[in-house]
Structure formats: C-alpha cells, structure tokens
Amino acid sequence: MPFRILILENDPAICLDLTQLFTNNQYQSVTVGAAQKVKKMLKDRAFDVLLCDCLTIGINNLDFLKKIQSAFPGMPVIFMSAGEGINNAVELLNNGAHDYIVKPVNPEKLLLAVTKALQIKGSTKSFHVADTVHKALPEKKIYISGTGELAAKLQKEIALVAPTDYNIIIQGETGTGKESVAHLIHNASNRNLGPFIPVDCGCLSSELALSELFGHEKGAFTGATDSTSGAFENASGGTLFLDEIANLSFNVQAYLLRAVQERSIRKVGGTNERPIDVRIVVASNTHLNNAVNEGTFREDLYHRLNEFTLKVPSLCDRKNDLELFIETFICQNATRLNKNIKGFTTDAMNILLAYHWPGNIRELENTIKRACLLTLKPFMCVWTLPKEIRYGYVKPTSALPSYIMNRPIIMERELIPS
C-alpha cells in the first residue's frame, strides 16, 4: 500500500499542485481545508505524514503541533509557510516538527522532507485509533500540466470547479488527456476518498450500456445468472467518468437523463429505485452542442450535464509545453528501461518540434516510448522516430526557440546506429 499524506491547506490551486506532485511520485494524498477536521481525519484513516500550511491552521501553530503530538505520537508533521518568520520556524522545529518548508514550495525540498520523515517513521503504516485496515485507493493517473498560458488556464479552472459537486463536460481532441483531467478533478475534490469509476461509452452497445451503467437483476435477460451492480452504484461516494458520451444511443441517453435528474437508478429487470451519490464527469472529442444541433444528442441531457465545461487544448496549440512533455516521457521510459538516455539529437528534436501531432499527447508519449526502446546511444536519432513523423512533419520556417539553439549541436552523422 502506498504511503499516504494528509495535506492541511485551504488554497485549491496549491492543493491541486501538491496532489499532482505526490501522485507523480507514487504517494497518495488527501487534502483538508480546516484545522478542526485534521484530528478526525487522522482517527478515521491511516496517514503517514501530516503536511500543514501555517496560515490555514488559524490558531497558534505550536499549540496545534502539541495537540497532534499528544493524540498521535510519532506522526511526522511538516509545516509550510509564506512568511510567518524565522522565529516561528525555530520554535516549531525545536518542539518536534519534522521540517519547515518556505512557500512557494520547492518540489525537490518537499519530497526530500517527506522521504526523510518516512525513513524516520520506519515501516509503521497506521495511526488508526481502532485496528482497522484502510483499503488502498485506486492508482491515480499521472498528468503533466505544462507551464504555458493554456495549461495555466486549465489548471485554474480545475482548481475552481473540483471542490464543487458540479457535473462537468471535458471537451478535447482524442489523445489530449481528458481522462487524466477527470482524475485531477476527482483527486482535488471532496470525494477523493471515494472511487473513480471510468466507463468508455464508445465501446458499449445499446443493450450492454444499460447493464454497464445501472446493473441488472438475475434473469433480466438471457445469460443474466446473477444480480450485478453497475457503474453508478460502484461509483457511490466518488466520481463517475463517462468517456466519449456522444456515442451513447438516444435510448440510453434517456435513461441517463432520468438518473441525473432524479439522483436515482433502477437496475435492468428491477422494480426498485436506488438513490445514487455520485459526481458525474463526462468527456467528448466532439462538441456536444453541435451534436445537439445535429439531433444526435439530447438537448435536455446536455444542459443537465453542462454545469461547467473544461476545454483541454490540443498539443499543436501548446507547443511551448512540448519540450517539457518530451523530457518527462524520456525520464519515465529511461528509468523503466534502465537506460542512460539524455535526449534527442538536434535533427530529431527539430522534427519533433515541427510535427503537428494529430494524436496529441498520447501520440507523443508512444513516440518517445518507441524511441527509448530502439536507441543504442545516449542521444536518440531520427531513425528512432516512426516514418509518419520523419516524413510527415512541416519543415520549420522560423528560427528555432532559444532552448533548442542553446543545445549541444549533435548531428545525425555522429550517431549512426551500430
């Protein structure tokens, strides 16, 4: 079971950044926005580290620390502060705080502090008052937010809407990471301890969709030998993510509309209504309002779902983030393959930067995976790229960005595969 971190912080944007940081580094984290809720959270669930924002505590920081130490001996407490001063830091550290991090938080310093806290704590995994076992949360998806203007806008909107219970439509081309965005919303929501249940509506027939979404009773149809629960029941207390929702038939859309309106469902072949407690997030690679105008998607369902819309930009619209994505995928795959890979040659990088990436981040990630597997040298050459990228890119007509011009000039002739 992964190590778990409880974060006391009332700034949604910071909560989102910290959650993503810990997720990317194989930790599970839960956020809480009030100091009064911390003791209950620690009693009810197992946590390994407590990370606190001094301002969010709202009371004397030292008194808060002593209360935590008294109720949960051995719990490592790390404080974050934007400006309470050196005296506050010294006082907390002298009284048993594990570490004190100055905001804006340096990710490497924070991860180092957490690592050291876990090493000191040892292998003890539970601070339950009762001897209960906490069920591990589903693995959270890794999402690279990027640093460009469009990425920053998306992050702000996620931070704004995630703490609410609004139904959300995520709009974006295939491969832009819509499901990863849905995971970010779930992780930053008040339902993050509940399940995240994804359903790919694109591969469901009309007959299968009803059973998949709402479940069925024994004998409801041929082959229904047992009563089963559907995605709505399985997502109780959490988030239901319906990907490519535009592919659902009109008949299934009618059932879905009723579930959203009434907050209850009925299993296929059943007679009893069952209340549901889910947050609904849907995604589509087509504009649902266009589907409404074309008569392929119910207008009443669209308006029920469209309490908030997030637009995930395509990769060709966020070229400023392209090198960040490339470097991240290289790092991930080099580690996975146990290879010493430093990057691409200048020729190969020029192609990657000029290519239009119709498959978006998914295509880029698969391209880097392939190149890392094929490379025999620290720098990956043009021959490690797929033919459609080598011959299908648009040759750049303007000067390359400064970060490319400042790279060591390593040309293809220097790295002929052996």
Side-chain angles (χ1 to χ4, degrees), residues 326 330 337 339 341 343-352 357 363-391 412 415-418:
I326 292 172
I330 289 174
L337 296 172
K339 288 186 174 183
I341 303 175
F344 283 95
T345 65
T346 303
D347 289 346
M349 181 59 83
N350 290 351
I351 291 176
L352 293 175
W357 299 109
E363 182 184 12
L364 174 63
E365 183 177 13
N366 290 337
T367 297
I368 303 303
K369 281 183 178 179
R370 178 186 187 276
C372 288
L373 180 64
L374 292 176
T375 190
L376 305 173
K377 304 288 184 180
F379 286 88
M380 293 175 283
C381 303
V382 169
W383 66 269
T384 64
L385 303 178
K387 287 184 178 179
E388 62 269 22
I389 293 179
R390 297 204 305 265
Y391 302 119
E412 293 300 318
L415 294 168
I416 300 173
S418 54

Side-chain angles (χ1 to χ4, degrees), residues 198-206 208-209 212-213 241-249 252 283-285:
V199 177
D200 185 356
C201 300
C203 62
L204 296 179
S205 65
S206 187
L208 181 61
E212 181 75 17
L213 293 173
F241 174 59
L242 303 178
D243 195 12
E244 303 306 341
I245 191 173
N247 290 297
L248 292 178
S249 68
V252 176
S284 175
N285 60 10

Side-chain angles (χ1 to χ4, degrees), residues 305-320:
L305 295 174
N306 191 28
E307 293 181 333
F308 197 86
T309 298
L310 289 170
K311 175 68 168 68
V312 184
S314 62
L315 189 53
C316 67
D317 290 333
R318 51 191 307 194
K319 285 295 185 75
N320 289 340

Side-chain angles (χ1 to χ4, degrees), residues 3-4 13 15-16 19 47 60 69 86 111 115 118 125 161 194 208 223 262 274 300 346 351 379 389 404:
F3 289 106
R4 306 189 72 229
C15 288
L16 191 64
T19 298
F47 290 96
N60 184 284
Q69 290 172 331
I86 189 65
L111 290 173
T115 300
L118 293 172
K125 287 290 295 173
V161 74
L208 181 61
E262 305 299 328
R274 301 167 183 263
D300 44 8
T346 303
I351 291 176
F379 286 88
I389 293 179
I404 297 300

Side-chain angles (χ1 to χ4, degrees), residues 267-334:
K267 288 187 175 183
V268 176
T271 57
N272 297 327
E273 292 286 331
R274 301 167 183 263
I276 55 173
D277 174 26
V278 297
R279 198 241 190 103
I280 300 174
V281 178
V282 305
S284 175
N285 60 10
T286 61
H287 290 280
L288 289 181
N289 55 340
N290 291 341
V292 169
N293 294 333
E294 294 167 1
T296 60
F297 198 83
R298 295 182 63 106
E299 183 175 8
D300 44 8
L301 177 58
Y302 171 71
H303 291 302
R304 283 286 180 180
L305 295 174
N306 191 28
E307 293 181 333
F308 197 86
T309 298
L310 289 170
K311 175 68 168 68
V312 184
S314 62
L315 189 53
C316 67
D317 290 333
R318 51 191 307 194
K319 285 295 185 75
N320 289 340
D321 291 327
L322 187 54
E323 188 177 22
L324 172 62
F325 294 139
I326 292 172
E327 290 178 350
T328 301
F329 292 141
I330 289 174
C331 181
Q332 290 175 355
N333 287 283

Side-chain angles (χ1 to χ4, degrees), residues 40-61:
K40 184 179 186 305
M41 294 287 289
L42 293 176
K43 286 179 181 178
D44 292 345
R45 294 178 175 85
F47 290 96
D48 302 291
V49 176
L50 175 60
L51 178 61
C52 304
D53 171 53
C54 289
L55 191 60
T56 304
I57 291 174
I59 58 176
N60 184 284
N61 295 166

Side-chain angles (χ1 to χ4, degrees), residues 20 143-148 151-152 155 318 321 324-325:
Q20 184 176 339
Y143 181 76
I144 312 165
S145 60
T147 58
Q155 289 297 307
R318 51 191 307 194
D321 291 327
L324 172 62
F325 294 139

